[in-house]
Amino acid sequence: MNLPYGKDFRPPWPLRSGHIQTMLSSSGVRRMLLPRAAQTVMQGAEPVVVDGGGGVRLTGAYTAQKIRPQSRGLAVLFHGWEGSVDSTYVLQTGSRLLADGWDIFRLNFRDHGDSHGLNEALFHSCRIDEVVHALGDIAQRWPARTIALAGFSLGGNFALRAAMQTARVGIPLSYALAVCPIIDPSEGLFSLEESAPWFYQAYFMRKWRHSLQAKQKAFPQHQYFEMSELNQNLRGLTEAMVLRHTDFPSLQQYLDGYSVAGDAMRALQIPATILTAKDDPVIPVDAFEKLELPPNVELDIADYGGHCGFIRGYGMTSFTDDYIAARFNAVADKAALA
């Protein structure tokens, strides 16, 4: 099988702009223009609550394939920060894999989607243990010969960190793929503040504040933030969240807590792929170029694609769908021959 690579993604002008790719990736315009096939994963989807351990509950959606006599395997999808199981890129990827005969599980992180009322404590990016525990619950409830995981942006970071733990805790994960994952959170935060256009920080802050307001409404007896803290910039609000709601003594230690930079991924024992783009305005490419990776981890840096965009043309479909499907299918085919 000939696998697609980042170098194969050559969008037409003006889609060679990383900013246009990034802005279109989660836009309402894209959702309207996508073909109906990009949302088939929602048809017959079963809403699910999974066990995150220690009383934590996470929500998700399971869709069984109906294409093949036997499923290729279970594909688990992680959304990005302030995304959800119904984010456009999650639906499109899930629908593409469903068409290839994969069962699909789309997981919401804590406080994402409509799950703000399930757990009193706030979401933060170092809550990897509950995601790994949920992955174990998913693997037990929907056992499959092949379980493959894909995540986007912060979800890509979670996917890589989860993949480093699955062997230790006995979860039979076969493969992980991360699209534009956060590598060094310190660089990512600095990039949004200092080098990325202002509207990226404004976009994320608007969504985060809306999420925090939903959390406050769900638990009115608990004051999560002072109004003065909510009015701060990304760095200020993140630091307030760290000091109020985590055990980390400083913002830097929190950011280091979910970093996968440098040689951190040498601990990754299963096959994995990282796809990113040189023109990603949110996650600097420098962090990827500094990675020290084991032979089983493939790093693929495309010239174009923006942040989780990789939009082919005016039909708004994404190169990442075929990219992920080809690699998932190759892993499943290899397992079938074993």
Side-chain angles (χ1 to χ4, degrees):
M1 170 184 280
N2 292 324
L3 296 176
Y5 290 93
K7 62 180 175 57
D8 300 323
F9 179 62
R10 311 293 294 183
W13 186 90
L15 293 179
R16 293 192 178 187
S17 162
H19 294 303
I20 290 177
Q21 285 279 344
T22 302
M23 288 186 288
L24 284 176
S25 65
S26 298
S27 70
V29 172
R30 182 185 180 201
R31 197 175 184 110
M32 286 189 295
L33 291 176
L34 279 171
R36 285 187 179 181
Q39 297 190 21
T40 54
V41 73
M42 300 178 76
Q43 298 171 11
E46 173 191 354
V48 176
V49 176
V50 294
D51 180 13
V56 174
R57 295 172 296 163
L58 302 179
T59 62
Y62 172 77
T63 310
Q65 67 86 30
K66 299 176 182 177
I67 302 296
R68 297 162 58 97
Q70 183 177 357
S71 168
R72 283 185 183 271
L74 178 67
V76 181
L77 303 179
F78 289 173
H79 58 76
W81 185 40
E82 293 304 333
S84 77
V85 298
D86 294 328
S87 291
T88 301
Y89 52 89
V90 175
L91 295 179
Q92 188 171 327
T93 301
S95 298
R96 175 67 174 82
L97 291 166
L98 190 70
D100 275 10
W102 287 83
D103 298 324
I104 310 297
F105 194 97
R106 296 171 283 139
L107 180 71
N108 272 324
F109 298 141
R110 178 195 293 239
D111 296 346
H112 288 72
D114 296 324
S115 68
H116 296 82
L118 277 182
N119 307 285
E120 186 170 355
L122 278 179
F123 168 82
H124 61 73
S125 298
C126 289
R127 293 196 184 277
I128 184 63
D129 289 347
E130 64 192 43
V131 173
V132 172
H133 198 285
L135 194 56
D137 187 29
I138 293 164
Q140 187 173 31
R141 290 165 67 175
W142 293 279
R145 178 174 55 195
T146 301
I147 301 177
L149 170 64
F152 301 82
S153 192
L154 179 60
N157 171 281
F158 268 91
L160 293 170
R161 285 185 290 150
M164 283 190 273
Q165 295 194 30
T166 51
R168 178 178 60 80
V169 297
I171 299 172
L173 185 66
S174 304
Y175 175 71
L177 194 153
V179 179
C180 300
I182 294 174
I183 298 297
D184 184 342
S186 296
E187 284 197 21
L189 197 64
F190 290 137
S191 174
L192 275 178
E193 287 183 325
E194 297 172 5
S195 58
W198 65 269
F199 47 80
Y200 288 120
Q201 182 172 180
Y203 171 80
F204 284 116
M205 289 302 294
R206 179 182 62 80
K207 296 193 75 173
W208 191 15
R209 290 191 182 107
H210 178 78
S211 178
L212 292 174
Q213 289 165 357
K215 188 73 172 183
Q216 187 65 72
K217 186 176 181 180
F219 295 97
Q221 74 281 8
H222 188 101
Q223 184 177 16
Y224 290 97
F225 288 99
E226 300 283 351
M227 186 58 67
S228 60
E229 293 170 325
L230 285 174
N231 289 331
Q232 294 187 78
N233 61 11
L234 179 60
R235 180 191 297 271
L237 185 53
T238 303
E239 184 168 27
M241 183 271 295
V242 169
L243 298 179
R244 270 181 174 265
H245 299 287
T246 79
D247 295 327
F248 293 97
S250 70
L251 173 61
Q252 188 58 54
Q253 285 180 278
Y254 165 72
L255 296 173
D256 291 343
Y258 67 103
S259 172
V260 291
D263 63 355
M265 279 185 276
R266 286 189 178 277
L268 216 168
Q269 298 178 18
I270 64 170
T273 298
I274 300 168
L275 172 67
T276 192
K278 289 180 181 178
D279 64 356
D280 185 336
V282 177
I283 310 294
V285 73
D286 293 359
F288 295 92
E289 294 171 338
K290 296 173 186 174
L291 287 172
E292 299 173 29
L293 299 171
N296 52 296
V297 179
E298 171 189 35
L299 174 61
D300 193 355
I301 302 177
D303 288 332
Y304 309 104
H307 186 65
C308 295
F310 295 94
I311 295 168
R312 288 195 188 93
Y314 302 108
M316 295 293 131
T317 59
S318 177
F319 169 79
T320 57
D321 299 335
D322 289 338
Y323 188 96
I324 293 170
R327 280 163 173 75
F328 276 28
N329 291 345
V331 171
D333 291 347
K334 184 177 180 180
L337 295 172

